[in-house]
C-alpha cells in the first residue's frame, strides 16, 4: 500500500503515547487499520491485546472489517479470524463488556440491558414527574414551581444532572453556593461585613457632616448614609435593596476620602455576599429536587435491570479504579487506539487512561469538535495534545483525499478567518481533471432587503420561516 509521509510517520511510530491531529478526509481510518495490522505482523502483538475505541457502532463495524481484510491480504488468516472477538467497539460497548465480567463488583445483574437514548429519555421524563409531584407537596416546593414553571425546572434539573454525571458524579448534588466568595474575603461572613458597613456609615456621616458648605452631592450622600442603619437593622437585606445605599459619584473631594472609598468597597462585598446567601436558599430547594429526580430515575432503571450510557461509563470507571482489576486490563492491552478523541468527556478520558499502558494512540481533530456529544470537552483533547507536543509525540494528517482542490481552497479561506491562528488548512491530495467551470459559488442573501414584503410592509416570517432563509433556499 502507498502512504503519504505524514501517514507513514503515524503508522511506524508505535512505541509510546502519540496524539494525531487528523483533518477531514485525511485517511485516519487507513492509518488505524495499518497500525493494527503491523502491530500484529511486525510487533508480534496478539489481536486480543489491542483495544480499539471508535465513536459509533457503524465505525467500529467498518474498522473491524477493514482490519480483517488487511490481515487476509498479507496472508494471516488466523489473525483475520481472531478479529471477530477483538476489542473493537465504542466506549460504551467496551464499558458494557467490562461490566458484564465484573457486574457483582458494582452490584448489578450481569444480564443488564442497555437503554438507548429514546428509552432513557422516557424513563427520565417519568422520574421527573414523580419527583416534581413529591416536591410540590411542600410550601417551598410549590412556590418554586409557581415561580419558574414545570418546564423550565425540568430543563434545568435534567440538564444539570446530565452535566454533573458527565463530570464524574454517580449521584449528583449541586455544589454549595458562595464558597469561592467567602474564600476571597478571607472567610468573613455576611453578618460581619454588615456590621463593618454600619460602622463605616457612621464614620462617613461624621466626616461629611463636618464639611464646610456641603454641596448637593454631599447632602445626597448624607441622606443615603442616614438610611443605612434602618435598612441593615433586620440583618442582610435582598441584594437589590442595597443599591439604595450607594454613595453618589461626582467631583466633591469629601466623597473621595478613604472612608468613603472603603464604604463603597464594603457595600459591594455585602451585596455579593447577599447574592450568595439568597442563592444558597434557592440552591437547597433545587438540590432537593435534583436529588429526588436522580433517586427516582435510578429506581426506575433498577426495576428494569437497565443502565443508560452514563451508568456504563461511571460504573465501569468504578470497576477499573480497583487496583487489581485496572492492573489486569493494563497488562491485557499492550496497545490502545482511540478515534474521535476530541469528542470525549472527562469520565471517558479517565476510563481510557485507566486501561492504557505506555502505548496509547489517540486520533482526533479539534476543528471537527462542533456538537458537544455527551458533554464532550475539546479542551481535554487540546490539553493532552500540548503535553505530548512538548515531548515530540504529536503529529498531524493534513492532506485531504476526499475533496477537490477547488473546494478545499474555499474552505481554508473561510475557516482560517473563523477559527483564527490555530487553524490547520487542509492540503489537496486528489488529482482531478480541470473543471470546465468554477466548482464553488457564493450565495449572498441581503437580510434587510428581504425583510419587507412586496407591498412594503414588514414581513419577518413566511410559512414559519424567516424570509431571508426562504430567499436563501430559493437561491
Amino acid at each position: 500500500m502507498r502512504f503519504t509521509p505524514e501517514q507513514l510517520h503515524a503508522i511506524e511510530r508505535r512505541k509510546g503515547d502519540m496524539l494525531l491531529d487528523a483533518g477531514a478526509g485525511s485517511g485516519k481510518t487507513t492509518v488505524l487499520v495499518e497500525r493494527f495490522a503491523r502491530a500484529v505482523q511486525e510487533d508480534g502483538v496478539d489481536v486480543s491485546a489491542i483495544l480499539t475505541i471508535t465513536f459509533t457502532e457503524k465505525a467500529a463495524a467498518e474498522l473491524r472489517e477493514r482490519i480483517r481484510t488487511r490481515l487476509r491480504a498479507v496472508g494471516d488468516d488466523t489473525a483475520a479470524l481472531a478479529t471477530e472477538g477483538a476489542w473493537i467497539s465504542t466506549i460504551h460497548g467496551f464499558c458494557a463488556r467490562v461490566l458484564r465480567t465484573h457486574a457483582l463488583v458494582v452490584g448489578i445483574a450481569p444480564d443488564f440491558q442497555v437503554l438507548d437514548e429514546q428509552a432513557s429519555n422516557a424513563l427520565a421524563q417519568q422520574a421527573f414527574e414523580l419527583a416534581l409531584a413529591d416536591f410540590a407537596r411542600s410550601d417551598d416546593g410549590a412556590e418554586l414551581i409557581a415561580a419558574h414553571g414545570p418546564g423550565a425546572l425540568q430543563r434545568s434539573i435534567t440538564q444539570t444532572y446530565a452535566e454533573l454525571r458527565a463530570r464524574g458524579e454517580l449521584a449528583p448534588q449541586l455544589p454549595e453556593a458562595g464558597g469561592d466568595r467567602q474564600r476571597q474575603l478571607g472567610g468573613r461572613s455576611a453578618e460581619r461585613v454588615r456590621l463593618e458597613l454600619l460602622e463605616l456609615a457612621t464614620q462617613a456621616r461624621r466626616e461629611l457632616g463636618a464639611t464646610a458648605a456641603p454641596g448637593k452631592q454631599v447632602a445626597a450622600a448624607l441622606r443615603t448614609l442616614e438610611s443605612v442603619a434602618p435598612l441593615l437593622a433586620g440583618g442582610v437585606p435582598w441584594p437589590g435593596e442595597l443599591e439604595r445605599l450607594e454613595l453618589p459619584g461626582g467631583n466633591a473631594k469629601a466623597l473621595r476620602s478613604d472612608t468613603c472609598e472603603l464604604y463603597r468597597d464594603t457595600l459591594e462585598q455585602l451585596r455579593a455576599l447577599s447574592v450568595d446567601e439568597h442563592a444558597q436558599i434557592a440552591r437547597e430547594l433545587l438540590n432537593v429536587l435534583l436529588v429526588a429526580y436522580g433517586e427516582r430515575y435510578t429506581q426506575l432503571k433498577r426495576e428494569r435491570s437497565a443502565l443508560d450510557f452514563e451508568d456504563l461509563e461511571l460504573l465501569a470507571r468504578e470497576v477499573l479504579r480497583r487496583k487489581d482489576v485496572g492492573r489486569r486490563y493494563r497488562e491485557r492491552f499492550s496497545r490502545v487506539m482511540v478515534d474521535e478523541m476530541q469528542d470525549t468527556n472527562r469520565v471517558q478520558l479517565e476510563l481510557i487512561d485507566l486501561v492504557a499502558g505506555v502505548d496509547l494512540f489517540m486520533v482526533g481533530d479539534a476543528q471537527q469538535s462542533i456538537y458537544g456529544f455527551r458533554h464532550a470537552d475539546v479542551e481535554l483533547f487540546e490539553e493532552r495534545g500540548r503535553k505530548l507536543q512538548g515531548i515530540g509525540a504529536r503529529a498531524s494528517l493534513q492532506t485531504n483525499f476526499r475533496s477537490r482542490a477547488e473546494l478545499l481552497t474555499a474552505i481554508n479561506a473561510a475557516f482560517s478567518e473563523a477559527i483564527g491562528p490555530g487553524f490547520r488548512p487542509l492540503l489537496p491530495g486528489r488529482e482531478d481533471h480541470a473543471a470546465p467551470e468554477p466548482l464553488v459559488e457564493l450565495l449572498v442573501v441581503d437580510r434587510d432587503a428581504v425583510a419587507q414584503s412586496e407591498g412594503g410592509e414588514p414581513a419577518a416570517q413566511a410559512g414559519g420561516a424567516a424570509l431571508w432563509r426562504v430567499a436563501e433556499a430559493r437561491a
Side-chain angles (χ1 to χ4, degrees):
M1 295 182 68
R2 294 174 58 190
F3 302 101
T4 65
E6 57 185 9
Q7 288 177 331
L8 200 57
H9 173 68
I11 291 168
E12 292 182 340
R13 191 188 187 282
R14 294 192 297 277
K15 284 295 183 181
D17 291 353
M18 183 180 186
L19 185 141
L20 183 65
D21 295 289
S26 61
K28 64 172 184 176
T29 304
T30 299
V31 169
L32 286 167
V33 169
E34 192 65 17
R35 279 182 65 96
F36 193 111
R38 293 197 187 190
V40 173
Q41 290 292 299
E42 298 178 9
D43 306 336
V45 178
D46 193 86
V47 168
S48 63
I50 304 175
L51 171 63
T52 306
I53 301 294
T54 61
F55 195 69
T56 66
E57 296 287 356
K58 181 180 178 182
E62 178 192 352
L63 186 60
R64 186 187 304 274
E65 182 57 35
R66 288 183 60 176
I67 290 171
R68 182 186 296 121
T69 300
R70 180 64 177 144
L71 289 170
R72 283 177 179 158
V74 296
D76 195 339
D77 291 340
T78 301
L81 184 63
T83 59
E84 192 59 37
W87 289 75
I88 304 172
S89 70
T90 63
I91 187 74
H92 297 117
F94 167 71
C95 291
R97 195 165 174 177
V98 169
L99 287 175
R100 294 198 192 281
T101 304
H102 304 279
L104 299 181
V105 172
V106 287
I108 59 175
D111 61 347
F112 63 84
Q113 62 168 313
V114 179
L115 298 172
D116 61 23
E117 196 163 351
Q118 184 177 359
S120 63
N121 286 343
L123 282 188
Q125 174 72 30
Q126 184 181 350
F128 184 80
E129 290 172 357
L130 292 170
L132 193 69
D134 291 340
F135 188 64
R137 293 191 177 96
S138 70
D139 291 340
D140 289 339
E143 185 176 342
L144 190 71
I145 295 169
H148 298 282
L153 278 178
Q154 180 173 358
R155 286 190 297 273
S156 297
I157 293 297
T158 55
Q159 289 173 9
T160 300
Y161 182 82
E163 173 66 29
L164 291 173
R165 294 237 288 169
R167 294 183 185 181
E169 294 188 30
L170 191 57
Q173 293 201 34
L174 292 177
E176 297 292 332
D180 291 340
R181 190 99 63 189
Q182 284 217 332
R183 283 190 289 275
Q184 292 168 5
L185 297 178
R188 289 153 63 222
S189 66
E191 176 60 20
R192 179 176 170 182
V193 175
R194 181 185 75 90
L195 295 175
E196 291 175 2
L197 189 64
L198 284 169
E199 293 178 6
L200 286 166
T202 301
Q203 184 178 342
R205 281 180 62 192
R206 187 165 51 247
E207 292 179 2
L208 293 176
T211 303
K216 291 182 179 180
Q217 293 172 342
V218 173
L222 285 168
R223 289 193 297 273
T224 297
L225 292 169
E226 288 172 2
S227 66
V228 172
L231 184 60
L232 299 187
V236 179
W238 184 258
E241 294 180 342
L242 289 171
E243 293 179 5
R244 294 157 43 192
L245 304 185
E246 291 181 358
L247 294 179
N251 298 322
K253 183 178 180 181
L255 292 176
R256 300 198 304 272
S257 69
D258 291 344
T259 301
C260 287
E261 290 301 324
L262 187 55
Y263 171 90
R264 290 187 178 96
D265 291 342
T266 305
L267 176 61
E268 184 57 37
Q269 292 171 9
L270 185 61
R271 182 188 290 111
L273 288 168
S274 175
V275 167
D276 290 342
E277 194 170 279
H278 287 88
Q280 179 63 18
I281 296 171
R283 177 261 170 207
E284 290 172 2
L285 276 174
L286 290 168
N287 192 57
V288 169
L289 183 56
L290 177 72
V291 171
Y293 161 70
E295 290 174 348
R296 287 285 194 173
Y297 184 43
T298 300
Q299 178 186 354
L300 290 173
K301 288 183 292 183
R302 187 178 295 119
E303 290 171 357
R304 293 157 177 78
S305 188
L307 303 177
D308 63 17
F309 290 136
E310 286 72 27
D311 291 326
L312 292 175
E313 295 174 6
L314 292 167
L315 293 176
R317 184 188 64 172
E318 293 305 303
V319 170
L320 295 170
R321 276 180 171 179
R322 293 173 65 102
K323 291 183 178 179
D324 55 335
V325 179
R327 185 183 65 253
R328 286 203 301 271
Y329 276 93
R330 285 190 295 277
E331 291 173 350
R332 175 183 188 133
F333 300 124
S334 59
R335 303 286 170 86
V336 177
M337 300 194 297
V338 183
D339 192 13
E340 304 292 2
M341 189 74 179
Q342 79 279 356
D343 286 324
T344 56
N345 61 36
R346 197 168 298 278
V347 176
Q348 292 167 350
L349 183 58
E350 184 180 350
L351 280 167
I352 292 164
D353 286 338
L354 283 169
V355 296
V358 294
D359 293 323
L360 172 60
F361 181 63
M362 297 157 281
V363 183
D365 183 10
Q367 293 176 178
Q368 295 187 64
S369 180
I370 58 176
Y371 299 113
F373 290 108
R374 301 195 182 282
H375 305 275
D377 183 359
V378 70
E379 182 54 34
L380 298 173
F381 173 80
E382 293 286 28
E383 182 182 330
R384 182 65 59 94
R386 288 190 291 269
K387 179 180 177 182
L388 292 176
Q389 188 168 4
I391 59 174
R394 185 175 190 175
S396 65
L397 300 180
Q398 290 183 256
T399 304
N400 175 288
F401 300 96
R402 184 180 299 159
S403 309
R404 293 184 62 113
E406 296 90 340
L407 180 58
L408 295 179
T409 298
I411 289 173
N412 289 336
F415 285 95
S416 62
E417 177 83 12
I419 294 179
F423 177 71
R424 290 185 300 278
L426 295 171
L427 308 177
R430 280 174 44 170
E431 295 181 1
D432 296 298
H433 296 297
E437 57 186 27
L439 297 180
V440 179
E441 56 183 349
L442 177 64
L443 304 179
V444 180
V445 175
D446 186 335
R447 296 192 188 196
D448 295 333
V450 298
Q452 303 287 331
S453 68
E454 292 182 2
E457 296 296 324
Q461 299 287 322
L467 279 179
W468 71 268
R469 291 203 179 278
V470 174
E472 183 181 63
R474 286 175 178 165

